[in-house]
Amino acid sequence: MKKIQILVCALAAVFIYSCNFTEEIHLQEDGSGKLSINFDGSELMEMAGDQMVKENEKPIDSIISFKDLLEEKHDSIAELSPEEQAKLRKLEPFNMHMVMNPAEKVMKFDLFSDFKDVNEVNDAFNAFRDASLMGPKSQPEQATPMPMSEQTTEVSYAFAKNTFSRTAKIIDPELFQQNIDSLQGSEMFLSGSTYTLKYHFPRKVKSTTAEEATFSADGKTLIYEVSFLEMMKDPKLLDIEVELEE
């Protein structure tokens, strides 16, 4: 359970300090594909790596299956409310690849899942955030899933008739505003952070609503980067529609 404990501490730091995320989708012609939310925490490791070396933290390179973890913690999960259990079950399709090496100042996380239809992995970013709560309340040997935090937004994906879309919606305006207010003390840390969409399509992009997006040489990969802080304040900043060539 040691790796779970480190995962929790590291992911908690991710959402307090620097947050450079990439949301990447590889979309196939039949609508199947792979989605990943990855984070490179090299800046965080620059700050904390020396202390972790002093504490003899060993390098970690492992993959956590949330399906297996939920099965392992079945008894603990059964004690939660039906609503909390439902939130936890949303993590089932995902795996987390965690790489941490204090000596080399490396810290990377990649939450990923294959899908048959892209709407199977709606709300991947919330899943990444909630993954930070899948850990110990105290000691590693007592590791147990914790109740999920209340979600204020949701993101949905769709792909049909040559058109792909990503749409965000605020589902609890009051709580959303409370979260925005709580960011004020972290704005200095988050000001240089980014959230990047990197979408790979089976055909060349014909048009997109993201006017500042850039494209690969073959026109099949779209890259769109925004300020993480601005995205947190306005989730619809990353609303996007992409039309592919016939």
Side-chain angles (χ1 to χ4, degrees), residues 164 199 201 205-215 222-224 239-244:
F164 170 89
Y199 294 161
F201 297 103
V205 174
K206 179 180 180 180
S207 64
T208 178
T209 55
E211 297 180 358
E212 297 181 3
T214 59
F215 302 89
L222 176 149
I223 301 172
Y224 182 41
D239 279 8
I240 186 174
E241 187 171 290
V242 180
E243 184 180 358
L244 305 182

Coordinates of all heavy atoms in Angstrom, one line a residue, residues 164 199 201 205-215 222-224 239-244:
F164 N -16.8 15.7 -33.7 CA -16.4 15.4 -32.4 C -16.7 16.6 -31.5 O -16.4 17.8 -31.9 CB -14.9 15.0 -32.3 CG -14.4 14.9 -30.9 CD1 -14.4 13.7 -30.2 CD2 -13.8 16.1 -30.3 CE1 -13.9 13.7 -28.9 CE2 -13.3 16.0 -29.0 CZ -13.4 14.8 -28.3
Y199 N -5.7 16.0 -29.4 CA -6.7 15.0 -30.0 C -6.2 14.5 -31.3 O -5.9 15.3 -32.2 CB -8.0 15.7 -30.1 CG -8.7 16.0 -28.8 CD1 -9.8 16.9 -28.8 CD2 -8.4 15.5 -27.6 CE1 -10.4 17.3 -27.7 CE2 -9.0 15.8 -26.5 CZ -10.0 16.7 -26.5 OH -10.7 17.0 -25.3
F201 N -7.2 12.4 -34.6 CA -8.4 11.9 -35.3 C -8.0 11.0 -36.4 O -6.9 11.0 -36.9 CB -9.1 13.1 -35.8 CG -9.7 14.0 -34.7 CD1 -9.0 15.2 -34.4 CD2 -10.8 13.7 -34.0 CE1 -9.5 16.1 -33.4 CE2 -11.3 14.5 -33.0 CZ -10.6 15.7 -32.7
V205 N -8.6 17.2 -40.0 CA -9.6 18.2 -39.4 C -10.0 19.2 -40.5 O -9.2 19.8 -41.1 CB -9.1 18.9 -38.2 CG1 -10.0 20.0 -37.8 CG2 -8.8 17.9 -37.1
K206 N -11.3 19.3 -40.7 CA -11.9 20.3 -41.7 C -12.1 21.6 -41.1 O -11.7 22.7 -41.6 CB -13.2 19.7 -42.2 CG -13.8 20.7 -43.3 CD -15.2 20.1 -43.8 CE -15.8 21.0 -44.8 NZ -17.1 20.4 -45.3
S207 N -12.6 21.6 -39.8 CA -12.8 22.9 -39.1 C -13.0 22.6 -37.6 O -13.2 21.5 -37.2 CB -14.1 23.6 -39.6 OG -15.3 22.8 -39.4
T208 N -12.8 23.7 -36.8 CA -13.0 23.6 -35.4 C -13.4 24.9 -34.8 O -13.0 26.0 -35.4 CB -11.7 23.1 -34.7 OG1 -11.9 23.1 -33.3 CG2 -10.5 24.1 -35.0
T209 N -14.1 24.9 -33.7 CA -14.5 26.1 -33.0 C -13.3 26.7 -32.2 O -13.4 27.8 -31.7 CB -15.7 25.8 -32.1 OG1 -15.3 24.8 -31.2 CG2 -16.9 25.5 -32.9
A210 N -12.2 25.9 -32.0 CA -11.1 26.4 -31.2 C -10.2 27.2 -32.2 O -9.3 26.6 -32.8 CB -10.3 25.2 -30.6
E211 N -10.4 28.5 -32.2 CA -9.6 29.3 -33.2 C -8.1 29.3 -33.0 O -7.4 29.5 -34.0 CB -10.2 30.7 -33.2 CG -11.7 30.8 -33.6 CD -12.2 32.3 -33.6 OE1 -11.4 33.2 -33.2 OE2 -13.3 32.5 -33.9
E212 N -7.7 29.1 -31.8 CA -6.2 29.2 -31.5 C -5.6 27.8 -31.5 O -4.4 27.7 -31.1 CB -6.0 29.9 -30.1 CG -6.5 31.4 -30.1 CD -6.2 32.0 -28.8 OE1 -5.6 31.4 -27.9 OE2 -6.6 33.2 -28.6
A213 N -6.3 26.8 -31.9 CA -5.7 25.5 -32.0 C -4.6 25.4 -33.0 O -4.7 26.1 -34.0 CB -6.8 24.5 -32.2
T214 N -3.7 24.5 -32.8 CA -2.6 24.2 -33.8 C -2.8 22.8 -34.3 O -3.5 22.0 -33.6 CB -1.2 24.5 -33.3 OG1 -1.0 23.6 -32.1 CG2 -1.1 25.9 -32.9
F215 N -2.1 22.4 -35.4 CA -2.3 21.1 -36.0 C -1.0 20.5 -36.4 O 0.0 21.2 -36.7 CB -3.3 21.2 -37.2 CG -4.6 21.8 -36.9 CD1 -4.8 23.2 -37.0 CD2 -5.7 21.0 -36.5 CE1 -6.1 23.7 -36.7 CE2 -6.9 21.5 -36.2 CZ -7.1 22.9 -36.3
L222 N -5.0 17.7 -33.4 CA -5.3 19.1 -32.9 C -4.7 19.3 -31.5 O -4.8 18.4 -30.6 CB -6.8 19.3 -32.9 CG -7.4 20.6 -32.3 CD1 -8.7 20.9 -33.0 CD2 -7.6 20.5 -30.8
I223 N -4.1 20.4 -31.3 CA -3.5 20.8 -30.0 C -4.1 22.2 -29.6 O -4.0 23.1 -30.4 CB -2.0 20.8 -30.1 CG1 -1.4 19.5 -30.5 CG2 -1.4 21.2 -28.7 CD1 0.1 19.5 -30.8
Y224 N -4.6 22.2 -28.4 CA -5.2 23.4 -27.9 C -4.9 23.6 -26.5 O -5.2 22.8 -25.6 CB -6.8 23.4 -28.1 CG -7.5 24.6 -27.7 CD1 -7.0 25.9 -28.0 CD2 -8.7 24.5 -27.0 CE1 -7.8 27.0 -27.6 CE2 -9.5 25.6 -26.6 CZ -9.0 26.9 -26.9 OH -9.7 28.0 -26.6
D239 N -14.7 24.0 -24.2 CA -15.7 23.5 -25.1 C -15.2 23.6 -26.5 O -14.7 24.6 -26.9 CB -17.0 24.3 -25.0 CG -17.8 23.9 -23.8 OD1 -17.3 23.1 -22.9 OD2 -18.9 24.4 -23.6
I240 N -15.3 22.5 -27.2 CA -14.8 22.4 -28.6 C -15.6 21.5 -29.5 O -16.1 20.5 -29.0 CB -13.3 21.9 -28.5 CG1 -12.6 22.1 -29.9 CG2 -13.2 20.5 -28.0 CD1 -11.1 21.7 -29.9
E241 N -15.7 21.9 -30.7 CA -16.4 21.1 -31.7 C -15.4 21.0 -32.9 O -14.8 22.0 -33.4 CB -17.7 21.6 -32.2 CG -18.5 20.7 -33.1 CD -19.9 21.2 -33.4 OE1 -20.7 21.2 -32.4 OE2 -20.1 21.7 -34.5
V242 N -15.2 19.7 -33.4 CA -14.3 19.5 -34.5 C -15.0 18.7 -35.6 O -15.6 17.7 -35.3 CB -13.1 18.7 -34.0 CG1 -12.1 18.4 -35.2 CG2 -12.4 19.4 -32.9
E243 N -14.9 19.2 -36.8 CA -15.5 18.6 -38.0 C -14.4 18.0 -38.8 O -13.4 18.6 -39.1 CB -16.3 19.5 -38.8 CG -17.0 18.8 -40.0 CD -17.8 19.8 -40.9 OE1 -17.9 21.0 -40.5 OE2 -18.4 19.3 -41.9
L244 N -14.5 16.7 -39.1 CA -13.5 16.0 -39.9 C -13.9 16.0 -41.4 O -15.1 16.1 -41.7 CB -13.3 14.6 -39.4 CG -13.0 14.4 -37.9 CD1 -12.8 12.9 -37.6 CD2 -11.8 15.2 -37.5

